[in-house]
Amino acid sequence: MNLFSLEDKKTNVRTEVVAGLTTFMTMVYIVVVNPAILQQAGMDFGAVFVATILATVIATLIMGLFANYPIAIAPGMGLNAYFAYSVVGQSGIRWEVALGAVLVAGVLFVLLSVTSFREQLIKAIPDSLKYGITAGIGLFIAFIGLKSAGIIVGDEVNLVGLGDFHAPMTILSLVGLFLTLVLFTFRIPGSLFIGMALTALIGGMSGLFVSPTTWVTAPPSLMPTLGAAVISLPEVFSQGLYAVIFAFLLVTLFDTTGTMIGVAEQAGLMGKDGSFPRMRSALLADSIGMTAGALMGTSPTSAYIESSTGVASGGRTGLTSVVVSLLFLCMLFFAPVVEAVAGVPAITAPALIIVGCFMMGGLARVEWGRFDEAFPAFIVMISMPLTFSIATGIAFGFITYPLLKIIQGRFREVHPLLYLFMVLFLLQLIFLPE
């Protein structure tokens, strides 16, 4: 095990295996939620299920073997909802073309990962916009969770209204949400996964969930989605999906970077000068996973903050990530039960709502006392769920931030790249609206 430098990191094989199992338990819900969301874009559930697992395995293995960090990577929450409900659902773009946009963003991410431009891009984006974007995505997926649960419904007068709390599926959603919140309150590892399992059990007893006759089978075929992104590349550019590509790239880049640094700090793996050792290898793991995932048929990957649970259990090396990868690989044979669970909105909706809550934490770091910092974060956050578009929310933030700085005479505080983005987003909103 010299590959992982276990002795140098003051850990051992048993500790790393337990850490890997812990991380797996806290994020395995993604094999249910991701295919369930992308299926609503018209994609084949089985193919997305396999693509989700394989993208996770590839990216997390690279992270473990080459970057030697206890960080897991999988298709990210938020961007999968943006892919399905905004890019495909609202804009009417075919899912094949949306995958093509993910592929372009993945290739750009790979190129950024091997150059110093990635650092310039990360530094160019002010913290208030980063936190606002993350919070906006949280509101976006929480809104989707509430809607799919039937807790809120469409209303002709007020756009949204309260759902029917007598509807069986809504009742089951509320019960599942309450049970999962109780699990989180007592800090039970794998609360999301356990909550989904308990909700499925209750749904089975009430007749809302039908257990599959077969739990273990050979993995579904990947053919319905394999290579669709490549075939659709010409349409990505002919339809001018540059804002969509930028949204996929930008959110993945700084979300992954922020998560990796946070987990590395928790594990005591940051350099003495505050640097992030082997950043290139770590970002390559995610960018390769994102590119491979697009080729196979899933939305962008991202580093998972759930990795912190493995670190809390003692994980300090890439062996933790390797264990996570192997456990995910085993999930390939449980497609029938995963598809049955994903077919009941009440089982997956609580996970969307709670993950959305977790993504709001960064708002505490926004300088609300400074209007030129606060308003861009606010307009990003509020516009994402209301326009049903992450890209539009990002555009509003990147336009208002430089403008407010110019008005206040603080234009020198703005990185030149931000002025370029402001102009590009203005042109996009005027001439190429979604």
Side-chain angles (χ1 to χ4, degrees):
M1 292 296 177
N2 291 332
L3 172 65
F4 302 107
S5 305
L6 297 182
E7 292 184 5
D8 294 342
K9 299 294 192 298
K10 298 179 181 179
T11 184
N12 54 60
V13 173
R14 181 182 178 279
T15 299
E16 296 293 303
V17 170
V18 170
L21 178 61
T22 303
T23 298
F24 170 77
M25 286 295 295
T26 58
M27 62 180 287
V28 68
Y29 68 89
I30 195 62
V31 304
V32 179
V33 177
N34 196 56
I37 290 175
L38 297 189
Q39 185 182 35
Q40 296 184 48
M43 300 179 70
D44 181 81
F45 184 95
V48 176
F49 169 75
V50 174
T52 298
I53 292 175
L54 293 182
T56 301
V57 170
I58 291 170
T60 306
L61 266 181
I62 295 174
M63 177 66 76
L65 295 176
F66 296 98
N68 197 24
Y69 280 115
I71 299 172
I73 298 172
M77 292 292 291
L79 285 179
N80 51 8
Y82 172 58
F83 180 104
Y85 301 112
S86 182
V87 179
V88 177
Q90 190 178 44
S91 302
I93 295 167
R94 295 188 303 115
W95 64 262
E96 295 92 338
V97 180
L99 274 182
V102 176
L103 177 59
V104 174
V107 172
L108 291 174
F109 193 8
V110 171
L111 296 176
L112 285 176
S113 298
V114 297
T115 66
S116 59
F117 184 71
R118 69 182 184 276
E119 297 173 5
Q120 294 298 320
L121 183 59
I122 293 170
K123 291 177 181 178
I125 304 170
D127 288 343
S128 59
L129 286 183
K130 292 178 183 176
Y131 299 138
I133 291 171
T134 301
I137 294 173
L139 287 176
F140 182 69
I141 63 175
F143 180 83
I144 291 169
L146 290 167
K147 187 173 181 293
S148 65
I151 297 173
I152 59 174
V153 295
D155 186 300
E156 292 183 2
V157 178
N158 301 313
L159 297 182
V160 293
L162 195 64
D164 180 8
F165 278 24
H166 294 94
M169 193 62 71
T170 303
I171 294 174
L172 181 60
S173 299
L174 291 169
V175 170
L177 179 61
F178 176 76
L179 287 174
T180 310
L181 290 174
V182 170
L183 293 169
F184 271 105
T185 301
F186 287 102
R187 299 184 179 182
I188 305 298
S191 294
L192 281 178
F193 179 73
I194 297 172
M196 291 170 70
L198 290 175
T199 307
L201 182 63
I202 296 171
M205 291 188 293
S206 60
L208 295 176
F209 169 67
V210 180
S211 179
T213 55
T214 303
W215 282 49
V216 181
T217 62
S221 172
L222 196 59
M223 294 309 296
T225 57
L226 184 64
V230 177
I231 298 172
S232 302
L233 281 177
E235 291 185 65
V236 172
F237 299 104
S238 66
Q239 295 187 35
L241 300 183
Y242 305 111
V244 173
I245 293 170
F246 185 73
F248 283 141
L249 175 63
L250 183 65
V251 175
T252 302
L253 179 62
F254 75 71
D255 186 42
T256 286
T257 304
T259 299
M260 287 179 180
I261 291 174
V263 175
E265 284 180 343
Q266 179 190 1
L269 301 176
M270 295 292 286
K272 294 180 180 179
D273 58 350
S275 62
F276 184 60
R278 305 180 301 283
M279 174 181 275
R280 177 176 297 184
S281 298
L283 288 178
L284 270 174
D286 191 15
S287 59
I288 292 173
M290 180 177 178
T291 305
L295 289 170
M296 291 183 290
T298 187
S299 50
T301 56
S302 181
Y304 264 55
I305 194 62
E306 284 86 346
S307 303
S308 61
T309 61
V311 169
S313 298
R316 293 294 181 272
T317 74
L319 181 56
T320 294
S321 298
V322 172
V323 172
V324 174
S325 299
L326 296 176
L327 291 171
F328 265 99
L329 201 59
C330 294
M331 289 300 297
L332 280 173
F333 303 97
F334 293 91
V337 65
V338 170
E339 186 166 9
V341 168
V344 182
I347 298 176
T348 55
L352 294 173
I353 298 167
I354 292 172
V355 171
C357 170
F358 289 153
M359 298 180 76
M360 304 297 291
L363 290 178
R365 302 184 184 182
V366 175
E367 295 182 70
W368 294 105
R370 292 181 56 184
F371 187 74
D372 57 332
E373 295 286 336
F375 185 80
F378 166 77
I379 196 65
V380 168
M381 176 182 66
I382 199 67
S383 59
M384 283 186 184
L386 294 183
T387 65
F388 229 57
S389 171
I390 290 174
T392 300
I394 291 174
F396 287 167
F398 274 64
I399 292 170
T400 55
Y401 188 89
L403 284 177
L404 290 178
K405 292 294 184 180
I406 292 172
I407 292 170
Q408 290 196 336
R410 295 179 174 178
F411 57 89
R412 291 187 180 87
E413 296 180 9
V414 181
H415 195 285
L417 277 175
L418 229 59
Y419 288 116
L420 173 62
F421 292 144
M422 178 184 72
V423 173
L424 292 176
F425 275 122
L426 276 171
L427 293 173
Q428 185 264 327
L429 287 176
I430 295 170
F431 298 107
L432 297 170
E434 287 189 40

